[in-house]
Amino acid sequence: EAGVAQSPRYKIIEKRQSVAFWCNPISGHATLYWYQQILGQGPKLLIQFQNNGVVDDSQLPKDRFSAERLKGVDSTLKIQPAKLEDSAVYLCASSLSLAGYEQYFGPGTRLTVT
Amino acid sequence: QKEVEQNSGPLSVPEGAIASLNCTYSDRGSQSFFWYRQYSGKSPELIMSIYSNGDKEDGRFTAQLNKASQYVSLLIRDSQPSDSATYLCAVWRWDTGTASKLTFGTGTRLQVTL
C-alpha cells in the first residue's frame, strides 16, 4: 500500500512570495490533514478535510493560507504572501475517517523563507 | 497548562535497557492516544495506539494508559541505538457534531548509548 505522497520535499522562497504544496493521501482515506511543524515543536493542525469538505480550519491563518481538496483526493496548501515565521515543515496526513483512526504522515515539505 | 505535556529530554539510556517515556494530558474527554516516532529530518511514524486503560504490548514496545490520572506512557524494552529519535505523544478527541482533534506534545528526545 502506497503511503501519503507530498511534493516538493524542499522549498526556499523569499518573504512576500507565494508557495504551494501538494498532497496525495493513502488510497481510500477519506480524511486529510495539513500540519505545520516548527523545529523543536510537535505538529500543529492547520486544516482537516473530510472528503472534499473542510471540517476544521480554526487554526489556519486565513489571511495568508488557503487549502483545497478537489474531488476528495489530492489537496493543495498555499501560502501567499509568505512571512519569515512560516519557515517550518508542512506535513500532510490521512486517516480512514474522522472517528479516531490512526493518522499516517507523508514525508513533509521543508519550507525556508528568507 | 499545555494540552499535552512531555519532558523534552534528552533521555539517555544505555543499549539493552528499558526506556520509559511519559506524557500527561489535560482534556479528560480524550478518547484515543498515540505514540509517534520521529527521526531527525523525517516525518512522524505511528508506532503505538491505545484506546482503553491498561497496557498494550507490540514487540519491544508497551503503551500504558491511565485515564483517571490522565497519563500515557511508552516503554521500550531492550533499547537499541536505532531507537534514538524523538517520541511524540498525541491525544485525540471527537465529539458528535464537532471536528475531531489530534493534539501533539512537543516530544521527548531519546538517546540510546552504546
Side-chain angles (χ1 to χ4, degrees):
Chain A
E1 178 183 78
V4 177
Q6 289 187 250
S7 67
R9 293 295 309 279
Y10 306 92
K11 192 73 176 179
I12 301 174
I13 61 171
E14 295 181 351
K15 59 184 179 183
R16 293 187 290 272
Q17 286 187 324
S18 62
V19 64
F21 312 126
W22 173 84
C23 172
N24 182 256
I26 293 173
S27 178
H29 280 195
T31 312
L32 185 147
Y33 312 81
W34 283 102
Y35 289 87
Q36 179 193 61
Q37 187 174 25
I38 293 172
L39 188 65
Q41 299 181 19
K44 184 186 92 169
L45 179 69
L46 293 174
I47 188 169
Q48 57 178 313
F49 294 91
Q50 176 74 358
N51 296 311
N52 61 344
V54 175
V55 177
D56 181 11
D57 63 356
S58 58
Q59 298 192 85
L60 187 73
K62 298 182 186 65
D63 58 333
R64 298 184 300 107
F65 287 65
S66 64
E68 62 181 7
R69 188 183 185 196
L70 299 176
K71 301 181 181 178
V73 182
D74 294 6
S75 177
T76 56
L77 176 70
K78 297 179 182 178
I79 307 175
Q80 181 179 16
K83 293 185 175 181
L84 295 177
E85 59 260 36
D86 298 332
S87 294
V89 176
Y90 290 84
L91 296 161
C92 179
S94 70
S95 66
L96 277 173
S97 79
L98 284 173
Y101 288 96
E102 295 91 343
Q103 295 184 20
Y104 297 91
F105 285 84
T109 297
R110 183 176 299 276
L111 174 67
T112 302
V113 182
T114 63
Chain B
Q1 182 188 12
K2 291 183 179 178
E3 292 182 75
V4 180
E5 294 212 50
Q6 296 181 257
N7 188 316
S8 61
L11 173 66
S12 186
V13 300
E15 184 178 6
I18 296 174
S20 177
L21 302 153
N22 304 315
C23 169
T24 58
Y25 60 95
S26 60
D27 184 354
R28 280 199 173 274
S30 299
Q31 295 150 308
S32 305
F33 307 86
F34 305 94
W35 284 98
Y36 286 82
R37 177 176 62 198
Q38 188 171 29
Y39 292 113
S40 180
K42 302 294 185 182
S43 62
E45 174 193 9
L46 181 66
I47 55 171
M48 288 290 286
S49 56
I50 187 166
Y51 304 96
S52 56
N53 282 330
D55 295 1
K56 179 181 177 182
E57 187 175 318
D58 184 0
R60 295 186 297 112
F61 298 100
T62 299
Q64 300 174 317
L65 173 61
N66 184 327
K67 289 187 177 180
S69 300
Q70 296 173 248
Y71 177 88
V72 194
S73 67
L74 179 70
L75 300 178
I76 306 175
R77 289 181 299 281
D78 188 23
S79 295
Q80 301 297 309
S82 58
D83 295 326
S84 297
T86 295
Y87 289 80
L88 297 164
C89 173
V91 173
W92 181 87
R93 176 179 180 143
W94 179 60
D95 297 306
T96 304
T98 64
S100 65
K101 184 179 178 184
L102 185 66
T103 303
F104 285 84
T106 56
T108 298
R109 189 157 66 92
L110 174 66
Q111 292 178 336
V112 181
T113 58
L114 297 173

